Amino acid sequence: MPVLLLKTASTPSDAYADYLSTVVARPPPPPPPPPPPPPPPPPPPLHSEALNGSGHGTPAATGAGAGVARAPLFHPIHNISVLENDFLPLGLSALEARLRRGDFLDSNEDDHHHGEHEPRETVGGIIFTSQRAVEAFLAVVTRLLPSVSATVSASGSSFPSIFSPHTAFYVVGPATQRALLSSGLIPSDHVRGAHTGNGDALADYILQHYPPRHPHHRLPPLLFLHGETQRDVLPDRLCRAGVTVDRLVVYRTALAASLTADLHAALAAVVVERSAAGQARTDGARPVVIGAVCWVVVFSPTGCRELLEVRREWDPDRAWWGRESDGVDELTTSNLPPTPMLATMPPAAAAAAAAKLKIYVATIGPTTRDYLVRTFAFEPDVVAATPTPDGVAHGIERFMRDELHQKWE
């Protein structure tokens, strides 16, 4: 089944695309027990060739599907970029100034270096809740590297000397963690919170694992790098608990201008591929599918309106699961979405294939589901039990198996 991930591909690798590409269709349920075997035949004459030796005996591998490599259940998988991000020069300059000033160094080290007499408050850590914030941070640090030496962290790892060995880096999920670690600049033992998954959980984690640097001292401030549209949940939680959070806007986000065209192109590719491959797969390596099915996984409210508008054009409930011909007579290429890829197909074939396209929607959690219901009165087909690749895969597979009684080969 094709899957469209409504998100910019993560770097250096995308956990959702990587995981879904490894999921295979469940094997069929075991067949009923065979009837009792007939009585054995009499032994062959001594001069007969052994059956196995002649190539007509029982194969070495037995059982349903034995020795057959099963194809991925989700294929192909495409990332559709929803947002375009631009770094803000003012924010990057402010971050660079703080790094050069030594805001992330221990007070005694920094004061000795600058000859200061008053202790200065060290920033205890940096919070990232998006890969874009990580990219902005790394852009500044990389620019400073030629003039920065290395120090050694408490674990013995190499560390840029513009940070104290005690500096913590808090991330909201594994994708943000991978983006930060991929630079090779920050030791992995300083990157924390990847398991949390959202701002509320990350705030809880920080409050539990962010002790003061010295006894009887208040918690040092944290620096939160974010975009223009960042929600206030995380910094508000920390501030109410007594942790000072300095906020710095380092990038601007806008809806990708090509989002609608990219969705149309991806769905056209699904139609063309399914038309070429036939309407059913019975080769034992893929699930048997009537019509073309495509899943769109939604990760945030951004882009939902465009998705639903595109979905309405392609799938206005004119055909449903297993209804081979419904809607084909009424649909012509004149009202198909205008995409260059469909022009490569004969008009009748394009209309018939598009009539059988069914687009299902999954969200990675209840927040986006609630937004879809509240704003558009649209109920997604699947809400992942956990905001993880496994949660998405399990939700889709369960829906296809239990709700639609999908038959797996």
Side-chain angles (χ1 to χ4, degrees):
M1 288 179 291
V3 176
L4 308 182
L5 303 176
L6 216 59
K7 63 186 286 290
T8 302
S10 302
T11 56
S13 62
D14 191 282
Y16 282 85
D18 291 348
Y19 181 86
L20 292 177
S21 67
T22 66
V23 178
V24 297
R26 290 177 181 270
L46 293 178
H47 65 273
S48 295
E49 185 177 29
L51 289 179
N52 283 338
S54 65
H56 300 289
T58 303
T62 60
V68 177
R70 306 188 69 85
L73 174 59
F74 302 110
H75 176 80
I77 300 169
H78 298 290
N79 285 87
I80 306 292
S81 295
V82 179
L83 301 172
E84 295 173 339
N85 301 285
D86 296 316
F87 294 154
L88 296 178
L90 190 62
L92 299 189
S93 297
L95 175 59
E96 181 174 346
R98 299 194 69 164
L99 290 169
R100 291 186 181 277
R101 193 169 60 224
D103 286 8
F104 301 89
L105 297 174
D106 285 339
S107 297
N108 56 347
E109 298 172 2
D110 186 59
D111 296 345
H112 176 74
H113 177 74
H114 293 284
E116 297 179 0
H117 300 286
E118 293 295 327
R120 61 198 332 268
E121 194 169 43
T122 301
V123 176
I126 305 178
I127 301 172
F128 305 93
T129 56
S130 72
Q131 293 184 66
R132 308 292 85 79
V134 171
E135 292 167 2
F137 167 78
L138 293 177
V140 173
V141 173
T142 302
R143 189 161 63 234
L144 293 176
L145 280 182
S147 60
V148 171
S149 61
T151 186
V152 178
S153 70
S155 63
S157 304
S158 178
F159 208 54
S161 61
I162 49 178
F163 301 106
S164 161
H166 305 289
T167 304
F169 298 85
Y170 294 103
V171 296
V172 78
T176 312
Q177 178 191 46
R178 285 194 302 273
L180 188 58
L181 293 178
S182 67
S183 67
L185 299 174
I186 308 300
S188 59
D189 56 304
H190 283 250
V191 181
R192 302 159 189 170
H195 64 283
T196 54
N198 60 64
D200 256 333
L202 181 58
D204 289 336
Y205 177 84
I206 292 174
L207 293 174
Q208 294 171 10
H209 298 86
Y210 186 54
R213 198 67 58 80
H214 303 287
H216 311 299
H217 285 195
R218 72 184 185 92
L219 291 170
L222 293 169
L223 178 63
F224 182 24
L225 303 181
H226 59 87
E228 283 185 330
T229 58
Q230 176 66 42
R231 296 172 62 199
D232 296 329
V233 173
L234 188 151
D236 286 354
R237 286 278 314 278
L238 295 176
C239 288
R240 287 198 299 268
V243 180
T244 301
V245 179
D246 297 334
R247 303 179 61 165
L248 189 56
V249 180
V250 292
Y251 68 94
R252 174 193 296 117
T253 298
L255 194 69
S258 62
L259 174 58
T260 297
D262 291 344
L263 284 168
H264 278 310
L267 293 172
V270 171
V271 169
V272 171
E273 189 274 336
R274 291 300 298 162
S275 178
Q279 297 306 313
R281 298 292 187 101
T282 57
D283 57 8
R286 294 179 182 268
V288 175
V289 175
I290 305 299
V293 171
C294 182
W295 279 89
V296 181
V297 183
V298 183
F299 291 79
S300 77
T302 306
C304 285
R305 180 182 299 276
E306 288 71 21
L307 166 63
L308 295 183
E309 289 174 350
V310 169
R311 180 181 179 274
R312 184 174 57 211
E313 292 188 55
W314 282 94
D315 183 18
D317 291 329
R318 57 180 177 258
W320 191 245
W321 184 263
R323 292 165 60 182
E324 295 260 4
S325 60
D326 287 1
V328 175
D329 293 339
E330 301 83 52
L331 186 69
T332 66
T333 51
S334 63
N335 55 19
L336 283 178
T339 52
M341 191 165 291
L342 288 183
T344 65
M345 300 175 62
K356 295 177 183 179
L357 176 63
K358 189 63 188 176
I359 302 169
Y360 296 105
V361 176
T363 68
I364 64 164
T367 300
T368 304
R369 178 262 174 199
D370 293 346
Y371 173 81
L372 286 168
V373 172
R374 182 177 64 253
T375 308
F376 305 105
F378 177 83
E379 182 70 51
D381 302 288
V382 165
V383 179
T386 58
T388 61
D390 179 69
V392 170
H394 181 76
I396 292 176
E397 187 175 7
R398 181 174 180 179
F399 178 89
M400 299 295 285
R401 185 181 67 249
D402 298 344
E403 302 268 342
L404 299 176
H405 308 291
Q406 174 72 0
K407 177 184 177 183
W408 304 108
E409 280 291 313

